[in-house]
Structures are given as structure tokens and as C-alpha cells.
Amino acid sequence: MNNPDLPREDERGAVGLASIQALAPGFYAWAVTVLPAAWSRASGPTAKLCALIAALSLALSIVAERRFAQAGRFAGVWGFVLFSAFVWLLVPTSMGPFRLDPWRAVAGMLGWGLFAFVVAAPSTRSRIEPTEAPLPPRTKVFRTDALYALCAIAVAVVLQFIAWSVASPERALLIRVVTLGAGLIIIGTSALLVAARYDRPAFRAPKRRPLLRSAAITVILLLLLVAVGAIFGVRLPD
Amino acid sequence: MQFVDAIAAALTIASAAAFWAGSSALARAEDLQALYWLVVGLVAVRGAVQLSKTGAKG
């Protein structure tokens, strides 16, 4: 007889995906807030065991959901949450305001918030039937697209290292904001360059001549800026 | 790859270098230089975006 709690055949592709979605944010939150507490100096073996059970519970929630549907998912997720809470109860000093790094606290808050959002959200569902052949691509994708994206991401990451060497926290924060904005601009520009290579109506330039004119003006302005910098002796960093 | 795509990519690289120079100048507390390099970076990015739009196939 069919068990009504088990998923239907056509939903079987979606089973376990809710738990899988929660894995990444769950492990992130665990690594930022539970693991340091469990392995701090004030913690004992019970706290370490609870931390390991919490991680195992989250990992096994995938298997539990596949077998027991929602009941398995609840057991896995709530086991993870409860054993994480046990760790904090066993090591209360690790969460004190003088011990907890503010940036780690913010990261942990974001991690737990994202975990809660993902657990509460509906799971994604595969729309492709396994018996169907894969759809043909609409357009050819250039292999260098990934190179554009990776280079842009690498530049954005490298820019972040500048602020680490600054002693003054206010200036470091200003540099952090500037480099973050610069990184986003670089990534966005690279995405635009990639998209403009495809023959898609959204990226066609219907009025080519005015755009060429404004692009030429921008390039001339850039050359003027470089010339002004050279005249006034603006130097590149060492 | 079209010629304008290459120019746009070069401008993007130049803007990344300008942003790096500007951030380094900020770290050395040379704010005027930092402002100069950040403006250069922004202008280079704008030029890259405009050129990529003109270079789009149509």
C-alpha cells in the first residue's frame, strides 16, 4: 500500500533537494559559530561530541529525507539546530561579547539567517524527465566566457587584500568599501563584455553612430586624464 | 573577437589597474592621487561599456 508520507513518483527528483539546499549555509553557520566554540579552551569532550553530532545530523538529513520525507528532513534539521544549541549552552563563555569577534558574529548571523531562509523555502524541482533527451542549446557558448568571469573575480578578490595592510581602521574601512565597489564594477563590466559578444537583440546597438561618438569622447577624455597625470607627476604605486 | 571587443577588454584591464593604484594611494593616505586614479578607472570602465555596446553584433 502506498505510504502517503512518501513523495510521489513525479516528485522524487525534488526529494532531498531541500536538505541539499540547506547543506552549504548550514555548514557555513556551523563552521563560523559552533566549531570555534566546541574546540575552544573552555570546552570539554561533550561539547565536541555535540558539535560532531550536529554536523552529522545535517549531513544525514539528505538520506533521512529521501527515506522518510518531511519527517526525516525535520529530524535532520532540528537535530542540527538542537545540538548546535547544546554546544553554546555547554560553552557559554565562547559567545560572550568580549570573546566574540564582531565580524565573525555578523558572518555567523548571516549564515544562520540564510540557513533558516533556505530551510523554510520550497525545494527546487527538476523539470527534466530522465527519459527525455537534453534540449539543444539555443546558441553557441564561447569557452572564453569562463575566462572573462574568472579573471574579473580574481581581480575583485586581489583588490580586497589592499585594506589588510592598513593600520588605521577608519582608512581600512574606506579602502574596503572602495575596493568592494571597484570589484563589483569590474565583474559587472566583464559580464557586459561577455554578453555583448552574442547576437542577441537585447545587446544590439540600434544607434551605432551616436554610441561610437560617445565612446570616442570617453576614450579621448581618458587620454586627457592620463596626460594630465603625466604632467603633474602622478606616479604608480610601488 | 572584434577589434572593439579587444579595446573594451584592454580598457577594463586598465580600469582594474587604475582601481588598484587608487586603492594603494588611499592606503598611503595620498587622497588626491587616489581620487585621480579612481576617476581614471571609472572613465575607463565607461569607455569599455560603451565600446562593447557598439561592438555588439547587429
Side-chain angles (χ1 to χ4, degrees), chain A residues 79-106:
Chain A
F80 167 68
V81 171
L82 284 173
F83 278 98
S84 299
F86 289 155
V87 171
W88 296 328
L89 284 172
L90 288 168
V91 196
T93 53
S94 67
M95 304 298 284
F98 296 109
R99 283 236 171 172
L100 197 59
D101 181 50
W103 291 112
R104 189 152 59 91
V106 170

PDB file of all heavy atoms in Angstrom, chain A residues 79-106:
ATOM      1  N   GLY A  79      17.781  18.280  14.541  1.00  0.00           N
ATOM      2  CA  GLY A  79      18.920  17.697  15.255  1.00  0.00           C
ATOM      3  C   GLY A  79      20.133  18.596  15.144  1.00  0.00           C
ATOM      4  O   GLY A  79      20.851  18.835  16.119  1.00  0.00           O
ATOM      5  N   PHE A  80      20.359  19.120  13.946  1.00  0.00           N
ATOM      6  CA  PHE A  80      21.482  20.034  13.726  1.00  0.00           C
ATOM      7  C   PHE A  80      21.347  21.277  14.599  1.00  0.00           C
ATOM      8  O   PHE A  80      22.287  21.692  15.281  1.00  0.00           O
ATOM      9  CB  PHE A  80      21.525  20.402  12.236  1.00  0.00           C
ATOM     10  CG  PHE A  80      22.421  21.548  11.899  1.00  0.00           C
ATOM     11  CD1 PHE A  80      23.797  21.437  12.027  1.00  0.00           C
ATOM     12  CD2 PHE A  80      21.898  22.737  11.444  1.00  0.00           C
ATOM     13  CE1 PHE A  80      24.632  22.494  11.712  1.00  0.00           C
ATOM     14  CE2 PHE A  80      22.724  23.804  11.129  1.00  0.00           C
ATOM     15  CZ  PHE A  80      24.089  23.681  11.265  1.00  0.00           C
ATOM     16  N   VAL A  81      20.150  21.860  14.625  1.00  0.00           N
ATOM     17  CA  VAL A  81      19.942  23.095  15.382  1.00  0.00           C
ATOM     18  C   VAL A  81      20.073  22.847  16.879  1.00  0.00           C
ATOM     19  O   VAL A  81      20.726  23.604  17.602  1.00  0.00           O
ATOM     20  CB  VAL A  81      18.560  23.697  15.028  1.00  0.00           C
ATOM     21  CG1 VAL A  81      18.236  24.853  15.949  1.00  0.00           C
ATOM     22  CG2 VAL A  81      18.538  24.154  13.579  1.00  0.00           C
ATOM     23  N   LEU A  82      19.451  21.755  17.367  1.00  0.00           N
ATOM     24  CA  LEU A  82      19.454  21.496  18.816  1.00  0.00           C
ATOM     25  C   LEU A  82      20.857  21.186  19.318  1.00  0.00           C
ATOM     26  O   LEU A  82      21.284  21.710  20.360  1.00  0.00           O
ATOM     27  CB  LEU A  82      18.495  20.357  19.135  1.00  0.00           C
ATOM     28  CG  LEU A  82      17.017  20.726  19.102  1.00  0.00           C
ATOM     29  CD1 LEU A  82      16.147  19.502  19.251  1.00  0.00           C
ATOM     30  CD2 LEU A  82      16.691  21.742  20.200  1.00  0.00           C
ATOM     31  N   PHE A  83      21.591  20.349  18.586  1.00  0.00           N
ATOM     32  CA  PHE A  83      22.943  20.014  19.054  1.00  0.00           C
ATOM     33  C   PHE A  83      23.888  21.207  18.943  1.00  0.00           C
ATOM     34  O   PHE A  83      24.821  21.348  19.728  1.00  0.00           O
ATOM     35  CB  PHE A  83      23.483  18.795  18.291  1.00  0.00           C
ATOM     36  CG  PHE A  83      22.990  17.505  18.861  1.00  0.00           C
ATOM     37  CD1 PHE A  83      21.908  16.849  18.290  1.00  0.00           C
ATOM     38  CD2 PHE A  83      23.590  16.956  19.990  1.00  0.00           C
ATOM     39  CE1 PHE A  83      21.429  15.667  18.832  1.00  0.00           C
ATOM     40  CE2 PHE A  83      23.122  15.773  20.534  1.00  0.00           C
ATOM     41  CZ  PHE A  83      22.042  15.130  19.960  1.00  0.00           C
ATOM     42  N   SER A  84      23.637  22.088  17.992  1.00  0.00           N
ATOM     43  CA  SER A  84      24.416  23.333  17.946  1.00  0.00           C
ATOM     44  C   SER A  84      24.120  24.183  19.170  1.00  0.00           C
ATOM     45  O   SER A  84      25.025  24.761  19.786  1.00  0.00           O
ATOM     46  CB  SER A  84      24.079  24.120  16.681  1.00  0.00           C
ATOM     47  OG  SER A  84      24.403  23.387  15.529  1.00  0.00           O
ATOM     48  N   ALA A  85      22.829  24.227  19.553  1.00  0.00           N
ATOM     49  CA  ALA A  85      22.452  24.989  20.752  1.00  0.00           C
ATOM     50  C   ALA A  85      23.062  24.368  22.005  1.00  0.00           C
ATOM     51  O   ALA A  85      23.478  25.082  22.924  1.00  0.00           O
ATOM     52  CB  ALA A  85      20.928  25.045  20.870  1.00  0.00           C
ATOM     53  N   PHE A  86      23.146  23.036  22.046  1.00  0.00           N
ATOM     54  CA  PHE A  86      23.775  22.356  23.196  1.00  0.00           C
ATOM     55  C   PHE A  86      25.230  22.786  23.340  1.00  0.00           C
ATOM     56  O   PHE A  86      25.738  22.993  24.454  1.00  0.00           O
ATOM     57  CB  PHE A  86      23.694  20.829  23.038  1.00  0.00           C
ATOM     58  CG  PHE A  86      22.315  20.269  23.217  1.00  0.00           C
ATOM     59  CD1 PHE A  86      21.958  19.059  22.628  1.00  0.00           C
ATOM     60  CD2 PHE A  86      21.364  20.938  23.970  1.00  0.00           C
ATOM     61  CE1 PHE A  86      20.684  18.542  22.787  1.00  0.00           C
ATOM     62  CE2 PHE A  86      20.088  20.432  24.123  1.00  0.00           C
ATOM     63  CZ  PHE A  86      19.741  19.228  23.533  1.00  0.00           C
ATOM     64  N   VAL A  87      25.906  22.928  22.193  1.00  0.00           N
ATOM     65  CA  VAL A  87      27.313  23.347  22.249  1.00  0.00           C
ATOM     66  C   VAL A  87      27.409  24.727  22.893  1.00  0.00           C
ATOM     67  O   VAL A  87      28.262  24.971  23.760  1.00  0.00           O
ATOM     68  CB  VAL A  87      27.919  23.365  20.828  1.00  0.00           C
ATOM     69  CG1 VAL A  87      29.290  24.004  20.832  1.00  0.00           C
ATOM     70  CG2 VAL A  87      27.995  21.964  20.259  1.00  0.00           C
ATOM     71  N   TRP A  88      26.544  25.648  22.474  1.00  0.00           N
ATOM     72  CA  TRP A  88      26.601  27.008  23.053  1.00  0.00           C
ATOM     73  C   TRP A  88      26.244  27.001  24.534  1.00  0.00           C
ATOM     74  O   TRP A  88      26.791  27.782  25.312  1.00  0.00           O
ATOM     75  CB  TRP A  88      25.632  27.924  22.282  1.00  0.00           C
ATOM     76  CG  TRP A  88      26.012  28.106  20.856  1.00  0.00           C
ATOM     77  CD1 TRP A  88      27.273  28.126  20.330  1.00  0.00           C
ATOM     78  CD2 TRP A  88      25.125  28.272  19.764  1.00  0.00           C
ATOM     79  NE1 TRP A  88      27.225  28.297  18.970  1.00  0.00           N
ATOM     80  CE2 TRP A  88      25.920  28.402  18.602  1.00  0.00           C
ATOM     81  CE3 TRP A  88      23.741  28.340  19.636  1.00  0.00           C
ATOM     82  CZ2 TRP A  88      25.365  28.586  17.328  1.00  0.00           C
ATOM     83  CZ3 TRP A  88      23.199  28.528  18.377  1.00  0.00           C
ATOM     84  CH2 TRP A  88      23.999  28.653  17.238  1.00  0.00           C
ATOM     85  N   LEU A  89      25.317  26.100  24.918  1.00  0.00           N
ATOM     86  CA  LEU A  89      24.953  26.011  26.339  1.00  0.00           C
ATOM     87  C   LEU A  89      26.106  25.449  27.167  1.00  0.00           C
ATOM     88  O   LEU A  89      26.333  25.865  28.310  1.00  0.00           O
ATOM     89  CB  LEU A  89      23.723  25.119  26.512  1.00  0.00           C
ATOM     90  CG  LEU A  89      22.384  25.756  26.120  1.00  0.00           C
ATOM     91  CD1 LEU A  89      21.275  24.719  26.154  1.00  0.00           C
ATOM     92  CD2 LEU A  89      22.049  26.920  27.046  1.00  0.00           C
ATOM     93  N   LEU A  90      26.844  24.507  26.566  1.00  0.00           N
ATOM     94  CA  LEU A  90      27.945  23.881  27.300  1.00  0.00           C
ATOM     95  C   LEU A  90      29.165  24.798  27.379  1.00  0.00           C
ATOM     96  O   LEU A  90      29.967  24.685  28.304  1.00  0.00           O
ATOM     97  CB  LEU A  90      28.348  22.564  26.608  1.00  0.00           C
ATOM     98  CG  LEU A  90      27.345  21.420  26.757  1.00  0.00           C
ATOM     99  CD1 LEU A  90      27.688  20.283  25.806  1.00  0.00           C
ATOM    100  CD2 LEU A  90      27.309  20.922  28.189  1.00  0.00           C
ATOM    101  N   VAL A  91      29.300  25.683  26.396  1.00  0.00           N
ATOM    102  CA  VAL A  91      30.438  26.615  26.383  1.00  0.00           C
ATOM    103  C   VAL A  91      29.892  28.031  26.310  1.00  0.00           C
ATOM    104  O   VAL A  91      30.043  28.715  25.293  1.00  0.00           O
ATOM    105  CB  VAL A  91      31.386  26.333  25.197  1.00  0.00           C
ATOM    106  CG1 VAL A  91      32.727  27.007  25.409  1.00  0.00           C
ATOM    107  CG2 VAL A  91      31.579  24.850  24.964  1.00  0.00           C
ATOM    108  N   PRO A  92      29.257  28.525  27.355  1.00  0.00           N
ATOM    109  CA  PRO A  92      28.631  29.857  27.276  1.00  0.00           C
ATOM    110  C   PRO A  92      29.645  30.983  27.135  1.00  0.00           C
ATOM    111  O   PRO A  92      29.340  32.028  26.576  1.00  0.00           O
ATOM    112  CB  PRO A  92      27.857  29.973  28.593  1.00  0.00           C
ATOM    113  CG  PRO A  92      28.504  29.012  29.511  1.00  0.00           C
ATOM    114  CD  PRO A  92      29.063  27.917  28.670  1.00  0.00           C
ATOM    115  N   THR A  93      30.859  30.786  27.616  1.00  0.00           N
ATOM    116  CA  THR A  93      31.849  31.870  27.551  1.00  0.00           C
ATOM    117  C   THR A  93      32.299  32.155  26.126  1.00  0.00           C
ATOM    118  O   THR A  93      32.770  33.248  25.820  1.00  0.00           O
ATOM    119  CB  THR A  93      33.086  31.509  28.388  1.00  0.00           C
ATOM    120  OG1 THR A  93      33.555  30.220  27.959  1.00  0.00           O
ATOM    121  CG2 THR A  93      32.749  31.471  29.858  1.00  0.00           C
ATOM    122  N   SER A  94      32.136  31.181  25.229  1.00  0.00           N
ATOM    123  CA  SER A  94      32.602  31.402  23.861  1.00  0.00           C
ATOM    124  C   SER A  94      31.752  32.430  23.126  1.00  0.00           C
ATOM    125  O   SER A  94      32.174  32.986  22.117  1.00  0.00           O
ATOM    126  CB  SER A  94      32.579  30.078  23.084  1.00  0.00           C
ATOM    127  OG  SER A  94      31.236  29.654  22.917  1.00  0.00           O
ATOM    128  N   MET A  95      30.514  32.635  23.613  1.00  0.00           N
ATOM    129  CA  MET A  95      29.614  33.576  22.936  1.00  0.00           C
ATOM    130  C   MET A  95      29.567  34.919  23.645  1.00  0.00           C
ATOM    131  O   MET A  95      28.721  35.753  23.342  1.00  0.00           O
ATOM    132  CB  MET A  95      28.198  32.982  22.873  1.00  0.00           C
ATOM    133  CG  MET A  95      28.139  31.620  22.215  1.00  0.00           C
ATOM    134  SD  MET A  95      28.680  31.640  20.510  1.00  0.00           S
ATOM    135  CE  MET A  95      27.273  32.375  19.739  1.00  0.00           C
ATOM    136  N   GLY A  96      30.468  35.124  24.607  1.00  0.00           N
ATOM    137  CA  GLY A  96      30.452  36.377  25.344  1.00  0.00           C
ATOM    138  C   GLY A  96      30.870  37.548  24.457  1.00  0.00           C
ATOM    139  O   GLY A  96      31.602  37.373  23.483  1.00  0.00           O
ATOM    140  N   PRO A  97      30.449  38.751  24.813  1.00  0.00           N
ATOM    141  CA  PRO A  97      30.755  39.916  23.958  1.00  0.00           C
ATOM    142  C   PRO A  97      32.238  40.235  23.898  1.00  0.00           C
ATOM    143  O   PRO A  97      32.708  40.800  22.906  1.00  0.00           O
ATOM    144  CB  PRO A  97      29.974  41.060  24.620  1.00  0.00           C
ATOM    145  CG  PRO A  97      29.684  40.604  26.003  1.00  0.00           C
ATOM    146  CD  PRO A  97      29.622  39.118  25.971  1.00  0.00           C
ATOM    147  N   PHE A  98      33.006  39.860  24.930  1.00  0.00           N
ATOM    148  CA  PHE A  98      34.423  40.189  24.893  1.00  0.00           C
ATOM    149  C   PHE A  98      35.236  39.133  24.161  1.00  0.00           C
ATOM    150  O   PHE A  98      36.403  39.338  23.858  1.00  0.00           O
ATOM    151  CB  PHE A  98      34.963  40.351  26.327  1.00  0.00           C
ATOM    152  CG  PHE A  98      34.324  41.498  27.058  1.00  0.00           C
ATOM    153  CD1 PHE A  98      33.438  41.256  28.096  1.00  0.00           C
ATOM    154  CD2 PHE A  98      34.569  42.804  26.688  1.00  0.00           C
ATOM    155  CE1 PHE A  98      32.829  42.306  28.756  1.00  0.00           C
ATOM    156  CE2 PHE A  98      33.964  43.857  27.344  1.00  0.00           C
ATOM    157  CZ  PHE A  98      33.094  43.610  28.379  1.00  0.00           C
ATOM    158  N   ARG A  99      34.599  37.995  23.937  1.00  0.00           N
ATOM    159  CA  ARG A  99      35.335  36.921  23.254  1.00  0.00           C
ATOM    160  C   ARG A  99      35.019  36.865  21.774  1.00  0.00           C
ATOM    161  O   ARG A  99      35.834  36.435  20.978  1.00  0.00           O
ATOM    162  CB  ARG A  99      34.936  35.588  23.875  1.00  0.00           C
ATOM    163  CG  ARG A  99      35.562  35.312  25.204  1.00  0.00           C
ATOM    164  CD  ARG A  99      36.280  34.019  25.106  1.00  0.00           C
ATOM    165  NE  ARG A  99      37.072  33.776  26.260  1.00  0.00           N
ATOM    166  CZ  ARG A  99      37.683  32.646  26.482  1.00  0.00           C
ATOM    167  NH1 ARG A  99      37.524  31.677  25.621  1.00  0.00           N
ATOM    168  NH2 ARG A  99      38.427  32.471  27.530  1.00  0.00           N
ATOM    169  N   LEU A 100      33.790  37.220  21.449  1.00  0.00           N
ATOM    170  CA  LEU A 100      33.319  37.017  20.084  1.00  0.00           C
ATOM    171  C   LEU A 100      33.784  38.156  19.192  1.00  0.00           C
ATOM    172  O   LEU A 100      33.550  39.324  19.473  1.00  0.00           O
ATOM    173  CB  LEU A 100      31.788  36.934  20.089  1.00  0.00           C
ATOM    174  CG  LEU A 100      31.135  36.323  18.848  1.00  0.00           C
ATOM    175  CD1 LEU A 100      31.625  34.915  18.625  1.00  0.00           C
ATOM    176  CD2 LEU A 100      29.633  36.338  18.994  1.00  0.00           C
ATOM    177  N   ASP A 101      34.470  37.818  18.115  1.00  0.00           N
ATOM    178  CA  ASP A 101      34.896  38.810  17.135  1.00  0.00           C
ATOM    179  C   ASP A 101      33.646  39.374  16.451  1.00  0.00           C
ATOM    180  O   ASP A 101      32.805  38.622  15.990  1.00  0.00           O
ATOM    181  CB  ASP A 101      35.801  38.131  16.108  1.00  0.00           C
ATOM    182  CG  ASP A 101      36.304  39.083  15.074  1.00  0.00           C
ATOM    183  OD1 ASP A 101      36.823  40.143  15.441  1.00  0.00           O
ATOM    184  OD2 ASP A 101      36.148  38.780  13.882  1.00  0.00           O
ATOM    185  N   PRO A 102      33.501  40.698  16.355  1.00  0.00           N
ATOM    186  CA  PRO A 102      32.269  41.270  15.774  1.00  0.00           C
ATOM    187  C   PRO A 102      32.033  40.836  14.333  1.00  0.00           C
ATOM    188  O   PRO A 102      30.899  40.579  13.930  1.00  0.00           O
ATOM    189  CB  PRO A 102      32.474  42.780  15.880  1.00  0.00           C
ATOM    190  CG  PRO A 102      33.902  42.985  16.209  1.00  0.00           C
ATOM    191  CD  PRO A 102      34.399  41.757  16.849  1.00  0.00           C
ATOM    192  N   TRP A 103      33.119  40.753  13.536  1.00  0.00           N
ATOM    193  CA  TRP A 103      32.936  40.349  12.138  1.00  0.00           C
ATOM    194  C   TRP A 103      32.495  38.895  12.050  1.00  0.00           C
ATOM    195  O   TRP A 103      31.671  38.532  11.219  1.00  0.00           O
ATOM    196  CB  TRP A 103      34.235  40.557  11.352  1.00  0.00           C
ATOM    197  CG  TRP A 103      34.567  42.000  11.178  1.00  0.00           C
ATOM    198  CD1 TRP A 103      35.600  42.691  11.718  1.00  0.00           C
ATOM    199  CD2 TRP A 103      33.814  42.945  10.411  1.00  0.00           C
ATOM    200  NE1 TRP A 103      35.549  44.000  11.346  1.00  0.00           N
ATOM    201  CE2 TRP A 103      34.478  44.195  10.543  1.00  0.00           C
ATOM    202  CE3 TRP A 103      32.669  42.869   9.622  1.00  0.00           C
ATOM    203  CZ2 TRP A 103      34.023  45.326   9.918  1.00  0.00           C
ATOM    204  CZ3 TRP A 103      32.208  44.015   8.999  1.00  0.00           C
ATOM    205  CH2 TRP A 103      32.886  45.221   9.143  1.00  0.00           C
ATOM    206  N   ARG A 104      33.032  38.047  12.974  1.00  0.00           N
ATOM    207  CA  ARG A 104      32.604  36.646  12.970  1.00  0.00           C
ATOM    208  C   ARG A 104      31.156  36.541  13.412  1.00  0.00           C
ATOM    209  O   ARG A 104      30.401  35.677  12.923  1.00  0.00           O
ATOM    210  CB  ARG A 104      33.527  35.823  13.876  1.00  0.00           C
ATOM    211  CG  ARG A 104      33.292  34.329  13.761  1.00  0.00           C
ATOM    212  CD  ARG A 104      34.553  33.555  14.080  1.00  0.00           C
ATOM    213  NE  ARG A 104      35.074  33.790  15.398  1.00  0.00           N
ATOM    214  CZ  ARG A 104      34.735  33.065  16.468  1.00  0.00           C
ATOM    215  NH1 ARG A 104      33.860  32.100  16.347  1.00  0.00           N
ATOM    216  NH2 ARG A 104      35.263  33.311  17.627  1.00  0.00           N
ATOM    217  N   ALA A 105      30.780  37.417  14.344  1.00  0.00           N
ATOM    218  CA  ALA A 105      29.389  37.410  14.803  1.00  0.00           C
ATOM    219  C   ALA A 105      28.443  37.770  13.657  1.00  0.00           C
ATOM    220  O   ALA A 105      27.397  37.135  13.469  1.00  0.00           O
ATOM    221  CB  ALA A 105      29.218  38.402  15.962  1.00  0.00           C
ATOM    222  N   VAL A 106      28.820  38.789  12.869  1.00  0.00           N
ATOM    223  CA  VAL A 106      27.973  39.187  11.737  1.00  0.00           C
ATOM    224  C   VAL A 106      27.923  38.059  10.712  1.00  0.00           C
ATOM    225  O   VAL A 106      26.853  37.729  10.177  1.00  0.00           O
ATOM    226  CB  VAL A 106      28.520  40.481  11.096  1.00  0.00           C
ATOM    227  CG1 VAL A 106      27.829  40.776   9.784  1.00  0.00           C
ATOM    228  CG2 VAL A 106      28.350  41.651  12.057  1.00  0.00           C
TER     229      VAL A 106
END
